[in-house]
Amino acid sequence: MTIRAGSLDRRTLLRGAIATAAMGSFAVACGSPSSKDNGGGGPKGKKGAKNPFGVAENSKVEAAIFDGGYGTDYVDYANNVMGKQVKGVKVQVKPVVDIAPELQPRFVGGNPPDLIDNSGEDQIGFLGILDQLEELDDVFEAENYEGKKIADTVYAGVKDPGTFKDKFVALNYVMTVYGVWYSKTLFEKNGWTPPKTWDEALDLGQKAKKKGKYLFVHGKEAATYYQTLLIGGAIKEGGDEVRIALENLEKDSWSHPAIQGILKVMETMVKEKMFVPGGSGTQFQKAQAIWSNDQKALLYPTGGWIENEMKKATKDDFQMTGIPEMTLTGKPKMAYEAVHAAAGEPFIVPKQGKNPAGGKEVLRAMLSKDAAANFSKTKLAPTIVKDTVPADGYGSSALVAQSKMLADAGENIFTWNFISAYGMNTDQLVPWNSFLAGDIDAKGLTSELQKISDKIREDDSVEKIKVS
Protein backbone atom coordinates (compact mmCIF):
# COMPACT_ATOMS: atom_id res chain seq x y z
CA MET A 1 0.00 0.00 0.00
CA THR A 2 1.32 3.39 -0.90
CA ILE A 3 1.66 6.56 1.09
CA ARG A 4 2.39 9.86 -0.60
CA ALA A 5 5.00 12.21 0.65
CA GLY A 6 3.99 15.47 2.21
CA SER A 7 0.89 16.12 4.25
CA LEU A 8 -1.18 13.01 4.92
CA ASP A 9 -4.87 13.10 4.06
CA ARG A 10 -7.64 10.77 5.19
CA ARG A 11 -7.21 8.47 2.23
CA THR A 12 -3.47 8.15 2.71
CA LEU A 13 -3.93 7.38 6.36
CA LEU A 14 -6.30 4.54 5.62
CA ARG A 15 -3.71 2.93 3.43
CA GLY A 16 -0.99 3.28 6.02
CA ALA A 17 -3.01 2.62 9.15
CA ILE A 18 -2.63 -1.14 9.07
CA ALA A 19 1.09 -1.46 9.54
CA THR A 20 2.32 2.01 10.35
CA ALA A 21 0.41 1.67 13.59
CA ALA A 22 2.45 -1.38 14.49
CA MET A 23 5.63 0.62 14.08
CA GLY A 24 4.22 3.87 15.51
CA SER A 25 6.45 6.14 17.51
CA PHE A 26 3.75 7.04 19.99
CA ALA A 27 4.30 4.16 22.40
CA VAL A 28 2.95 4.26 25.91
CA ALA A 29 5.29 2.97 28.61
CA CYS A 30 4.30 -0.54 29.61
CA GLY A 31 4.91 0.31 33.23
CA SER A 32 2.29 3.04 33.31
CA PRO A 33 -0.67 2.69 35.68
CA SER A 34 -3.03 1.97 32.83
CA SER A 35 -1.05 -1.08 31.74
CA LYS A 36 -2.23 -2.97 34.80
CA ASP A 37 -5.53 -4.72 34.43
CA ASN A 38 -6.75 -3.57 37.80
CA GLY A 39 -9.57 -1.21 37.14
CA GLY A 40 -12.10 -0.04 34.60
CA GLY A 41 -14.84 -2.48 33.81
CA GLY A 42 -17.58 0.06 34.35
CA PRO A 43 -21.23 -0.64 35.12
CA LYS A 44 -22.40 -4.18 34.56
CA GLY A 45 -25.57 -5.44 32.96
CA LYS A 46 -27.06 -8.86 32.50
CA LYS A 47 -25.51 -10.76 29.61
CA GLY A 48 -27.76 -12.39 27.03
CA ALA A 49 -28.27 -12.86 23.31
CA LYS A 50 -29.24 -9.19 22.91
CA ASN A 51 -26.58 -8.03 25.34
CA PRO A 52 -23.52 -10.28 24.82
CA PHE A 53 -21.05 -7.99 26.59
CA GLY A 54 -23.20 -7.17 29.61
CA VAL A 55 -23.46 -3.44 29.02
CA ALA A 56 -25.58 -1.71 31.65
CA GLU A 57 -28.89 -0.08 30.76
CA ASN A 58 -28.85 3.71 30.53
CA SER A 59 -25.04 3.77 30.55
CA LYS A 60 -22.92 6.22 28.60
CA VAL A 61 -20.12 5.35 26.19
CA GLU A 62 -17.36 7.87 25.53
CA ALA A 63 -16.07 7.53 21.97
CA ALA A 64 -13.06 9.49 20.68
CA ILE A 65 -13.34 9.39 16.88
CA PHE A 66 -10.78 10.59 14.37
CA ASP A 67 -12.26 13.56 12.54
CA GLY A 68 -10.92 13.01 9.03
CA GLY A 69 -12.47 12.53 5.62
CA TYR A 70 -15.21 10.29 6.97
CA GLY A 71 -16.18 12.69 9.75
CA THR A 72 -17.72 11.30 12.93
CA ASP A 73 -21.45 11.25 12.24
CA TYR A 74 -21.41 7.58 11.26
CA VAL A 75 -20.56 6.71 14.87
CA ASP A 76 -23.30 9.04 16.11
CA TYR A 77 -25.62 6.93 13.97
CA ALA A 78 -24.99 4.01 16.32
CA ASN A 79 -27.34 5.73 18.75
CA ASN A 80 -30.15 5.09 16.28
CA VAL A 81 -29.70 1.34 16.47
CA MET A 82 -28.27 0.58 19.93
CA GLY A 83 -31.49 1.36 21.72
CA LYS A 84 -33.10 -1.59 19.97
CA GLN A 85 -30.83 -3.90 21.95
CA VAL A 86 -30.00 -2.34 25.33
CA LYS A 87 -32.29 0.24 26.89
CA GLY A 88 -30.94 3.75 27.18
CA VAL A 89 -27.32 3.16 26.10
CA LYS A 90 -25.91 6.29 24.46
CA VAL A 91 -22.62 6.93 22.72
CA GLN A 92 -21.12 10.38 23.29
CA VAL A 93 -18.91 11.11 20.29
CA LYS A 94 -15.91 13.39 20.66
CA PRO A 95 -14.21 14.36 17.38
CA VAL A 96 -10.40 14.23 17.64
CA VAL A 97 -7.80 15.14 15.03
CA ASP A 98 -4.52 14.57 16.86
CA ILE A 99 -5.14 11.19 18.46
CA ALA A 100 -1.82 10.50 20.24
CA PRO A 101 -1.17 13.98 21.69
CA GLU A 102 -4.69 14.17 23.08
CA LEU A 103 -5.31 10.58 24.17
CA GLN A 104 -1.90 9.19 25.09
CA PRO A 105 -1.89 11.09 28.42
CA ARG A 106 -5.23 9.48 29.24
CA PHE A 107 -3.75 6.02 28.74
CA VAL A 108 -0.90 6.95 31.05
CA GLY A 109 -3.40 8.28 33.59
CA GLY A 110 -5.56 5.16 33.43
CA ASN A 111 -8.69 6.95 32.18
CA PRO A 112 -8.90 6.46 28.40
CA PRO A 113 -12.19 6.72 26.45
CA ASP A 114 -14.32 3.60 26.06
CA LEU A 115 -13.86 3.49 22.29
CA ILE A 116 -11.21 5.08 20.07
CA ASP A 117 -10.89 5.36 16.31
CA ASN A 118 -7.09 5.16 16.37
CA SER A 119 -6.45 6.75 12.99
CA GLY A 120 -4.71 9.72 11.53
CA GLU A 121 -1.17 10.97 11.20
CA ASP A 122 -0.83 11.02 15.00
CA GLN A 123 -2.31 7.64 15.82
CA ILE A 124 -0.99 5.78 18.87
CA GLY A 125 1.36 2.89 18.12
CA PHE A 126 -0.42 -0.37 18.83
CA LEU A 127 2.59 -2.23 20.22
CA GLY A 128 2.99 0.35 22.98
CA ILE A 129 -0.57 -0.09 24.29
CA LEU A 130 -1.19 -3.71 23.34
CA ASP A 131 -1.61 -4.97 26.92
CA GLN A 132 -4.00 -2.13 27.68
CA LEU A 133 -6.53 -3.08 25.00
CA GLU A 134 -9.50 -5.40 25.10
CA GLU A 135 -9.27 -8.33 22.70
CA LEU A 136 -12.16 -8.18 20.28
CA ASP A 137 -12.69 -11.80 19.29
CA ASP A 138 -15.92 -11.83 21.29
CA VAL A 139 -17.29 -9.05 19.08
CA PHE A 140 -16.95 -11.27 16.02
CA GLU A 141 -18.40 -14.24 17.94
CA ALA A 142 -21.47 -12.23 18.98
CA GLU A 143 -24.66 -12.03 16.96
CA ASN A 144 -25.38 -8.83 15.08
CA TYR A 145 -28.64 -6.95 15.46
CA GLU A 146 -30.15 -9.10 12.73
CA GLY A 147 -29.42 -12.30 14.65
CA LYS A 148 -26.46 -13.54 12.62
CA LYS A 149 -22.96 -14.29 13.91
CA ILE A 150 -20.87 -11.24 13.05
CA ALA A 151 -17.92 -13.37 11.91
CA ASP A 152 -20.15 -14.78 9.18
CA THR A 153 -21.18 -11.35 7.91
CA VAL A 154 -17.77 -9.77 7.26
CA TYR A 155 -15.20 -10.13 4.50
CA ALA A 156 -12.34 -12.59 4.71
CA GLY A 157 -9.13 -11.49 6.38
CA VAL A 158 -10.49 -8.41 8.12
CA LYS A 159 -9.02 -9.49 11.47
CA ASP A 160 -5.47 -9.57 10.14
CA PRO A 161 -4.64 -5.85 10.05
CA GLY A 162 -5.86 -5.45 13.63
CA THR A 163 -3.97 -8.44 15.05
CA PHE A 164 -0.67 -7.81 16.81
CA LYS A 165 1.35 -10.59 18.47
CA ASP A 166 -1.64 -12.90 17.94
CA LYS A 167 -4.00 -10.51 19.72
CA PHE A 168 -7.00 -9.16 17.79
CA VAL A 169 -7.30 -5.70 19.35
CA ALA A 170 -8.25 -3.35 16.51
CA LEU A 171 -11.43 -3.66 14.49
CA ASN A 172 -10.83 -2.03 11.11
CA TYR A 173 -14.22 -0.87 9.86
CA VAL A 174 -13.78 0.42 6.31
CA MET A 175 -12.92 -1.79 3.33
CA THR A 176 -10.50 -0.14 0.91
CA VAL A 177 -10.55 -1.79 -2.52
CA TYR A 178 -7.72 -1.27 -5.00
CA GLY A 179 -8.00 -1.69 -8.74
CA VAL A 180 -7.78 -0.08 -12.16
CA TRP A 181 -10.43 2.54 -12.92
CA TYR A 182 -11.95 3.63 -16.21
CA SER A 183 -14.99 5.30 -17.78
CA LYS A 184 -17.55 2.70 -18.71
CA THR A 185 -19.20 5.23 -21.01
CA LEU A 186 -15.98 5.96 -22.91
CA PHE A 187 -15.13 2.28 -23.26
CA GLU A 188 -18.58 1.37 -24.55
CA LYS A 189 -18.53 4.27 -27.01
CA ASN A 190 -15.27 3.03 -28.51
CA GLY A 191 -15.91 -0.70 -28.22
CA TRP A 192 -12.97 -1.20 -25.84
CA THR A 193 -12.73 -4.09 -23.38
CA PRO A 194 -11.09 -3.57 -19.96
CA PRO A 195 -7.80 -5.53 -19.89
CA LYS A 196 -7.26 -8.62 -17.76
CA THR A 197 -3.60 -9.14 -18.67
CA TRP A 198 -0.70 -6.76 -19.27
CA ASP A 199 -0.52 -7.78 -22.91
CA GLU A 200 -4.17 -6.79 -23.30
CA ALA A 201 -3.37 -3.47 -21.62
CA LEU A 202 -0.52 -2.93 -24.07
CA ASP A 203 -2.87 -3.62 -26.97
CA LEU A 204 -5.40 -1.17 -25.49
CA GLY A 205 -2.63 1.43 -25.32
CA GLN A 206 -2.11 1.10 -29.07
CA LYS A 207 -5.83 1.61 -29.65
CA ALA A 208 -5.78 4.66 -27.39
CA LYS A 209 -2.93 6.23 -29.42
CA LYS A 210 -4.98 5.88 -32.59
CA LYS A 211 -7.67 7.96 -30.88
CA GLY A 212 -5.15 10.58 -29.78
CA LYS A 213 -5.30 9.39 -26.16
CA TYR A 214 -2.92 7.82 -23.65
CA LEU A 215 -3.27 4.62 -21.66
CA PHE A 216 -2.14 5.96 -18.26
CA VAL A 217 -1.42 9.19 -16.40
CA HIS A 218 0.46 9.84 -13.17
CA GLY A 219 1.14 12.69 -10.77
CA LYS A 220 4.42 13.28 -8.97
CA GLU A 221 3.09 12.57 -5.44
CA ALA A 222 1.27 9.45 -6.63
CA ALA A 223 3.83 7.82 -8.92
CA THR A 224 3.93 4.84 -6.57
CA TYR A 225 0.31 4.06 -7.41
CA TYR A 226 1.98 2.16 -10.25
CA GLN A 227 4.06 0.29 -7.69
CA THR A 228 0.81 -0.79 -6.05
CA LEU A 229 -0.44 -1.91 -9.46
CA LEU A 230 2.81 -3.79 -10.06
CA ILE A 231 2.84 -5.58 -6.72
CA GLY A 232 -0.84 -6.52 -6.89
CA GLY A 233 -0.48 -8.03 -10.34
CA ALA A 234 2.77 -9.79 -9.43
CA ILE A 235 1.28 -11.38 -6.31
CA LYS A 236 -1.63 -12.71 -8.35
CA GLU A 237 0.75 -13.97 -11.02
CA GLY A 238 3.41 -15.52 -8.78
CA GLY A 239 1.48 -16.27 -5.61
CA ASP A 240 2.34 -15.80 -1.95
CA GLU A 241 6.06 -16.25 -2.53
CA VAL A 242 6.13 -12.80 -4.15
CA ARG A 243 4.33 -11.14 -1.27
CA ILE A 244 6.33 -12.89 1.46
CA ALA A 245 9.69 -12.04 -0.14
CA LEU A 246 8.77 -8.36 -0.40
CA GLU A 247 7.28 -8.22 3.10
CA ASN A 248 10.43 -9.74 4.62
CA LEU A 249 12.72 -7.43 2.63
CA GLU A 250 14.56 -10.42 1.16
CA LYS A 251 17.59 -10.02 -1.07
CA ASP A 252 16.60 -9.85 -4.75
CA SER A 253 12.89 -9.76 -3.79
CA TRP A 254 12.28 -7.16 -6.52
CA SER A 255 13.82 -9.48 -9.10
CA HIS A 256 11.09 -12.11 -8.98
CA PRO A 257 10.07 -13.12 -12.54
CA ALA A 258 6.46 -12.00 -11.99
CA ILE A 259 7.62 -8.52 -10.97
CA GLN A 260 10.16 -8.30 -13.77
CA GLY A 261 7.67 -9.51 -16.37
CA ILE A 262 5.23 -6.73 -15.54
CA LEU A 263 7.99 -4.13 -15.29
CA LYS A 264 9.15 -5.01 -18.79
CA VAL A 265 5.65 -4.35 -20.16
CA MET A 266 5.50 -1.08 -18.21
CA GLU A 267 8.87 -0.12 -19.67
CA THR A 268 7.53 -0.73 -23.17
CA MET A 269 4.50 1.44 -22.41
CA VAL A 270 6.75 4.27 -21.25
CA LYS A 271 8.98 3.97 -24.32
CA GLU A 272 5.96 3.94 -26.63
CA LYS A 273 4.64 7.09 -24.90
CA MET A 274 1.48 5.57 -23.48
CA PHE A 275 1.77 7.74 -20.36
CA VAL A 276 0.65 11.37 -20.45
CA PRO A 277 3.94 13.32 -20.59
CA GLY A 278 5.07 15.57 -17.77
CA GLY A 279 3.51 13.55 -14.95
CA SER A 280 6.59 13.78 -12.76
CA GLY A 281 6.08 17.54 -12.61
CA THR A 282 2.29 17.49 -12.24
CA GLN A 283 0.38 17.66 -8.96
CA PHE A 284 -1.42 14.36 -8.53
CA GLN A 285 -5.02 15.67 -8.47
CA LYS A 286 -4.38 17.68 -11.63
CA ALA A 287 -3.04 14.52 -13.22
CA GLN A 288 -6.10 12.61 -12.12
CA ALA A 289 -8.34 15.27 -13.68
CA ILE A 290 -6.61 14.67 -17.01
CA TRP A 291 -8.10 11.18 -16.72
CA SER A 292 -11.45 11.81 -15.02
CA ASN A 293 -12.42 15.13 -16.61
CA ASP A 294 -10.39 15.58 -19.81
CA GLN A 295 -10.36 11.84 -20.58
CA LYS A 296 -6.94 12.03 -22.20
CA ALA A 297 -5.96 8.79 -20.45
CA LEU A 298 -8.00 5.59 -20.36
CA LEU A 299 -6.92 3.90 -17.11
CA TYR A 300 -5.90 4.94 -13.60
CA PRO A 301 -4.72 2.59 -10.82
CA THR A 302 -5.82 3.61 -7.33
CA GLY A 303 -8.18 2.81 -4.46
CA GLY A 304 -11.94 3.08 -4.17
CA TRP A 305 -11.71 6.58 -2.70
CA ILE A 306 -11.09 7.97 -6.20
CA GLU A 307 -14.73 8.72 -7.06
CA ASN A 308 -15.30 10.79 -3.95
CA GLU A 309 -11.92 12.51 -4.32
CA MET A 310 -12.54 13.55 -7.92
CA LYS A 311 -16.30 14.15 -7.79
CA LYS A 312 -15.82 17.85 -8.62
CA ALA A 313 -13.46 17.08 -11.50
CA THR A 314 -15.14 14.19 -13.31
CA LYS A 315 -16.83 14.44 -16.69
CA ASP A 316 -20.60 14.05 -16.71
CA ASP A 317 -21.76 10.49 -17.36
CA PHE A 318 -18.25 9.16 -16.76
CA GLN A 319 -19.64 6.05 -15.01
CA MET A 320 -16.44 5.40 -13.07
CA THR A 321 -15.87 1.65 -12.91
CA GLY A 322 -13.09 -0.52 -11.48
CA ILE A 323 -11.52 -3.87 -12.31
CA PRO A 324 -8.90 -5.97 -10.46
CA GLU A 325 -5.21 -5.45 -11.22
CA MET A 326 -4.02 -7.11 -14.43
CA THR A 327 -2.00 -10.34 -14.34
CA LEU A 328 1.06 -11.06 -16.47
CA THR A 329 -0.40 -14.15 -18.14
CA GLY A 330 -3.76 -15.82 -18.56
CA LYS A 331 -2.80 -18.54 -16.07
CA PRO A 332 -1.72 -16.81 -12.85
CA LYS A 333 -1.31 -18.67 -9.55
CA MET A 334 -4.17 -16.63 -8.10
CA ALA A 335 -7.35 -16.06 -10.08
CA TYR A 336 -7.66 -12.81 -12.00
CA GLU A 337 -10.68 -12.05 -9.80
CA ALA A 338 -8.49 -12.03 -6.67
CA VAL A 339 -8.53 -8.50 -5.34
CA HIS A 340 -6.15 -6.32 -3.39
CA ALA A 341 -8.24 -4.94 -0.53
CA ALA A 342 -7.65 -4.11 3.09
CA ALA A 343 -9.67 -3.13 6.10
CA GLY A 344 -8.81 0.25 7.59
CA GLU A 345 -10.01 2.74 10.23
CA PRO A 346 -8.98 0.81 13.38
CA PHE A 347 -11.27 0.96 16.42
CA ILE A 348 -9.93 -0.06 19.83
CA VAL A 349 -11.51 -0.60 23.25
CA PRO A 350 -9.20 0.27 26.18
CA LYS A 351 -9.45 -1.99 29.22
CA GLN A 352 -9.31 0.98 31.58
CA GLY A 353 -12.26 2.79 30.06
CA LYS A 354 -15.24 3.44 32.29
CA ASN A 355 -17.46 1.32 30.06
CA PRO A 356 -15.51 -1.13 27.83
CA ALA A 357 -18.60 -3.29 27.46
CA GLY A 358 -20.32 -0.24 26.04
CA GLY A 359 -17.42 0.31 23.67
CA LYS A 360 -17.87 -3.18 22.29
CA GLU A 361 -21.61 -2.62 22.00
CA VAL A 362 -21.02 0.44 19.84
CA LEU A 363 -18.89 -1.73 17.54
CA ARG A 364 -21.68 -4.30 17.40
CA ALA A 365 -24.09 -1.53 16.46
CA MET A 366 -21.74 -0.27 13.75
CA LEU A 367 -21.56 -3.82 12.37
CA SER A 368 -25.33 -4.03 12.00
CA LYS A 369 -26.66 -3.93 8.46
CA ASP A 370 -28.47 -0.69 9.21
CA ALA A 371 -25.35 1.18 10.36
CA ALA A 372 -23.06 -0.33 7.72
CA ALA A 373 -25.48 0.58 4.94
CA ASN A 374 -25.74 4.11 6.32
CA PHE A 375 -21.95 4.45 6.18
CA SER A 376 -21.74 3.28 2.57
CA LYS A 377 -24.61 5.52 1.53
CA THR A 378 -23.18 8.65 3.11
CA LYS A 379 -19.44 8.02 2.58
CA LEU A 380 -19.55 6.11 -0.75
CA ALA A 381 -17.25 3.44 0.64
CA PRO A 382 -17.90 -0.17 1.68
CA THR A 383 -17.49 -1.35 5.25
CA ILE A 384 -16.23 -4.79 6.25
CA VAL A 385 -19.88 -5.93 6.44
CA LYS A 386 -20.89 -7.85 3.34
CA ASP A 387 -24.09 -7.38 1.36
CA THR A 388 -24.92 -3.89 2.63
CA VAL A 389 -24.55 -2.01 -0.67
CA PRO A 390 -27.60 -2.19 -2.99
CA ALA A 391 -27.30 -3.07 -6.65
CA ASP A 392 -27.39 0.60 -7.66
CA GLY A 393 -24.65 1.54 -5.17
CA TYR A 394 -26.76 4.48 -4.03
CA GLY A 395 -26.12 5.93 -7.48
CA SER A 396 -22.35 5.40 -7.29
CA SER A 397 -20.94 3.31 -10.13
CA ALA A 398 -17.58 3.12 -8.33
CA LEU A 399 -19.24 1.74 -5.21
CA VAL A 400 -21.05 -0.83 -7.34
CA ALA A 401 -17.70 -1.82 -8.85
CA GLN A 402 -16.08 -2.20 -5.43
CA SER A 403 -18.90 -4.42 -4.22
CA LYS A 404 -18.66 -6.54 -7.36
CA MET A 405 -14.89 -6.93 -7.05
CA LEU A 406 -15.20 -8.06 -3.44
CA ALA A 407 -18.03 -10.47 -4.28
CA ASP A 408 -16.17 -11.93 -7.27
CA ALA A 409 -12.99 -12.36 -5.21
CA GLY A 410 -14.71 -14.35 -2.47
CA GLU A 411 -11.96 -15.61 -0.18
CA ASN A 412 -9.22 -14.41 -2.55
CA ILE A 413 -8.60 -11.05 -0.89
CA PHE A 414 -5.00 -10.04 -0.16
CA THR A 415 -2.84 -7.10 0.87
CA TRP A 416 0.70 -6.26 2.01
CA ASN A 417 2.10 -3.97 4.68
CA PHE A 418 5.87 -3.58 4.28
CA ILE A 419 5.87 -0.21 2.52
CA SER A 420 3.81 1.58 5.13
CA ALA A 421 5.34 -0.41 7.99
CA TYR A 422 8.83 0.86 7.23
CA GLY A 423 7.91 4.24 5.78
CA MET A 424 9.44 3.43 2.37
CA ASN A 425 7.13 5.38 0.07
CA THR A 426 8.90 8.73 0.17
CA ASP A 427 12.16 7.14 -0.98
CA GLN A 428 10.38 4.99 -3.57
CA LEU A 429 8.69 7.98 -5.19
CA VAL A 430 12.03 9.18 -6.56
CA PRO A 431 12.87 6.18 -8.77
CA TRP A 432 9.24 5.67 -9.77
CA ASN A 433 8.95 9.23 -11.05
CA SER A 434 12.20 8.72 -12.95
CA PHE A 435 10.97 5.44 -14.43
CA LEU A 436 7.59 6.79 -15.55
CA ALA A 437 9.36 9.79 -17.09
CA GLY A 438 11.61 7.45 -19.08
CA ASP A 439 14.80 8.56 -17.33
CA ILE A 440 15.63 5.07 -16.00
CA ASP A 441 14.67 1.64 -17.31
CA ALA A 442 13.17 -1.39 -15.54
CA LYS A 443 16.63 -2.60 -14.51
CA GLY A 444 17.44 0.76 -12.95
CA LEU A 445 14.11 0.91 -11.12
CA THR A 446 14.61 -2.61 -9.77
CA SER A 447 18.05 -1.71 -8.49
CA GLU A 448 16.82 1.41 -6.70
CA LEU A 449 13.85 -0.35 -5.10
CA GLN A 450 16.06 -3.18 -3.91
CA LYS A 451 18.53 -0.72 -2.38
CA ILE A 452 15.69 0.80 -0.33
CA SER A 453 14.61 -2.62 0.94
CA ASP A 454 18.19 -3.69 1.65
CA LYS A 455 18.94 -0.56 3.63
CA ILE A 456 16.05 -1.20 6.00
CA ARG A 457 16.78 -4.91 6.29
CA GLU A 458 20.37 -4.24 7.29
CA ASP A 459 19.50 -1.49 9.78
CA ASP A 460 19.50 -3.17 13.21
CA SER A 461 17.82 -0.14 14.78
CA VAL A 462 14.61 -0.83 12.82
CA GLU A 463 12.28 -3.40 14.37
CA LYS A 464 11.35 -5.98 11.72
CA ILE A 465 8.00 -7.66 11.30
CA LYS A 466 8.39 -11.28 10.20
CA VAL A 467 5.73 -12.32 7.72
CA SER A 468 4.92 -15.90 6.75
Coordinates of all heavy atoms in Angstrom, one line a residue, residues 12 35 44 47 78 110 127 130 167 211 231 241 257 278 284 303 309 333 345 362 378 398 459 467-468:
T12 N -4.8 8.7 2.5 CA -3.5 8.1 2.7 C -3.4 7.4 4.0 O -2.8 6.4 4.1 CB -2.5 9.3 2.7 OG1 -2.5 9.9 1.4 CG2 -1.1 8.8 3.0
S35 N -1.4 0.2 32.3 CA -1.0 -1.1 31.7 C -1.4 -2.2 32.7 O -1.3 -3.4 32.3 CB 0.5 -1.1 31.5 OG 1.2 -1.1 32.7
K44 N -22.1 -2.9 35.1 CA -22.4 -4.2 34.6 C -23.9 -4.4 34.3 O -24.7 -4.0 35.1 CB -21.9 -5.3 35.5 CG -20.4 -5.2 35.9 CD -19.5 -5.3 34.7 CE -18.0 -5.3 35.1 NZ -17.1 -5.4 33.9
K47 N -25.9 -10.3 30.9 CA -25.5 -10.8 29.6 C -26.6 -11.6 29.0 O -27.3 -12.4 29.7 CB -24.2 -11.5 29.7 CG -23.0 -10.7 29.9 CD -21.7 -11.5 29.8 CE -20.5 -10.7 30.0 NZ -19.2 -11.5 29.9
A78 N -24.8 5.2 15.5 CA -25.0 4.0 16.3 C -26.1 4.2 17.4 O -26.7 3.2 17.8 CB -23.7 3.6 17.0
G110 N -4.6 6.2 33.1 CA -5.6 5.2 33.4 C -7.0 5.5 33.2 O -7.9 4.8 33.8
L127 N 1.7 -1.4 19.4 CA 2.6 -2.2 20.2 C 2.8 -1.6 21.6 O 3.0 -2.4 22.6 CB 3.9 -2.4 19.5 CG 3.9 -3.2 18.2 CD1 5.3 -3.4 17.6 CD2 3.2 -4.6 18.4
L130 N -0.6 -2.4 23.6 CA -1.2 -3.7 23.3 C -1.8 -4.3 24.6 O -2.9 -4.9 24.5 CB -0.1 -4.6 22.7 CG -0.6 -6.0 22.2 CD1 -1.7 -5.8 21.1 CD2 0.5 -6.8 21.6
K167 N -2.9 -11.1 19.0 CA -4.0 -10.5 19.7 C -4.8 -9.6 18.8 O -4.3 -8.7 18.2 CB -3.5 -9.7 20.9 CG -2.9 -10.5 22.0 CD -2.5 -9.6 23.2 CE -1.9 -10.4 24.4 NZ -1.6 -9.6 25.5
K211 N -6.6 7.0 -31.2 CA -7.7 8.0 -30.9 C -7.1 9.3 -30.3 O -7.9 10.1 -29.9 CB -8.6 7.4 -29.9 CG -9.5 6.2 -30.4 CD -10.6 6.7 -31.3 CE -11.5 5.5 -31.7 NZ -12.6 6.0 -32.6
I231 N 2.8 -4.6 -7.8 CA 2.8 -5.6 -6.7 C 1.6 -6.4 -6.7 O 1.6 -7.7 -6.6 CB 3.1 -4.9 -5.3 CG1 4.4 -4.3 -5.3 CG2 2.9 -6.0 -4.2 CD1 4.7 -3.5 -4.0
E241 N 4.6 -16.4 -2.6 CA 6.1 -16.2 -2.5 C 6.5 -14.8 -2.9 O 7.5 -14.3 -2.4 CB 6.7 -17.3 -3.4 CG 6.5 -17.1 -4.9 CD 7.2 -18.2 -5.7 OE1 6.8 -19.4 -5.5 OE2 8.0 -17.9 -6.6
P257 N 10.5 -13.1 -11.1 CA 10.1 -13.1 -12.5 C 8.7 -12.5 -12.8 O 8.5 -11.8 -13.8 CB 10.0 -14.6 -12.9 CG 11.1 -15.2 -12.0 CD 11.0 -14.5 -10.7
G278 N 5.0 14.5 -18.8 CA 5.1 15.6 -17.8 C 4.5 15.2 -16.4 O 4.4 16.1 -15.5
F284 N -0.7 15.6 -8.3 CA -1.4 14.4 -8.5 C -2.9 14.5 -8.8 O -3.5 13.9 -9.7 CB -1.2 13.4 -7.4 CG -2.1 13.6 -6.2 CD1 -3.3 12.8 -6.0 CD2 -1.9 14.6 -5.3 CE1 -4.1 13.0 -4.9 CE2 -2.7 14.7 -4.2 CZ -3.8 13.9 -4.0
G303 N -7.2 3.4 -5.3 CA -8.2 2.8 -4.5 C -9.6 3.4 -4.7 O -9.8 4.3 -5.4
E309 N -13.0 11.5 -4.2 CA -11.9 12.5 -4.3 C -12.1 13.4 -5.5 O -11.8 14.6 -5.5 CB -10.6 11.8 -4.4 CG -9.4 12.7 -4.4 CD -8.1 12.0 -4.3 OE1 -7.7 11.3 -5.3 OE2 -7.4 12.1 -3.3
K333 N -1.1 -17.8 -10.7 CA -1.3 -18.7 -9.5 C -2.6 -18.3 -8.8 O -3.2 -19.2 -8.2 CB -0.1 -18.6 -8.6 CG 1.1 -19.3 -9.2 CD 2.3 -19.5 -8.2 CE 3.4 -20.2 -8.8 NZ 4.5 -20.4 -7.8
E345 N -9.3 2.0 9.2 CA -10.0 2.7 10.2 C -10.1 1.9 11.5 O -11.2 1.3 11.8 CB -11.4 3.2 9.7 CG -11.9 4.4 10.4 CD -11.2 5.7 9.9 OE1 -10.6 5.7 8.8 OE2 -11.2 6.7 10.6
V362 N -21.0 -0.5 20.9 CA -21.0 0.4 19.8 C -20.5 -0.2 18.6 O -21.0 0.0 17.5 CB -20.2 1.7 20.2 CG1 -20.1 2.6 19.0 CG2 -20.8 2.4 21.4
T378 N -23.6 7.3 2.8 CA -23.2 8.7 3.1 C -21.7 8.9 2.8 O -21.3 10.0 2.5 CB -23.4 9.0 4.6 OG1 -22.8 8.1 5.4 CG2 -24.9 9.0 4.9
A398 N -18.8 3.6 -8.9 CA -17.6 3.1 -8.3 C -17.9 2.2 -7.1 O -17.2 1.2 -6.9 CB -16.7 4.3 -7.9
D459 N 19.5 -2.5 8.7 CA 19.5 -1.5 9.8 C 19.0 -2.1 11.1 O 17.8 -2.4 11.2 CB 18.6 -0.3 9.4 CG 18.8 0.9 10.4 OD1 19.3 0.6 11.5 OD2 18.3 2.0 10.1
V467 N 7.0 -11.9 8.4 CA 5.7 -12.3 7.7 C 5.9 -13.7 7.1 O 6.9 -14.0 6.5 CB 5.4 -11.3 6.6 CG1 4.1 -11.8 5.9 CG2 5.1 -9.9 7.2
S468 N 4.9 -14.5 7.3 CA 4.9 -15.9 6.8 C 3.6 -16.2 6.1 O 2.7 -15.5 6.1 CB 5.2 -16.9 7.9 OG 4.2 -16.9 8.8

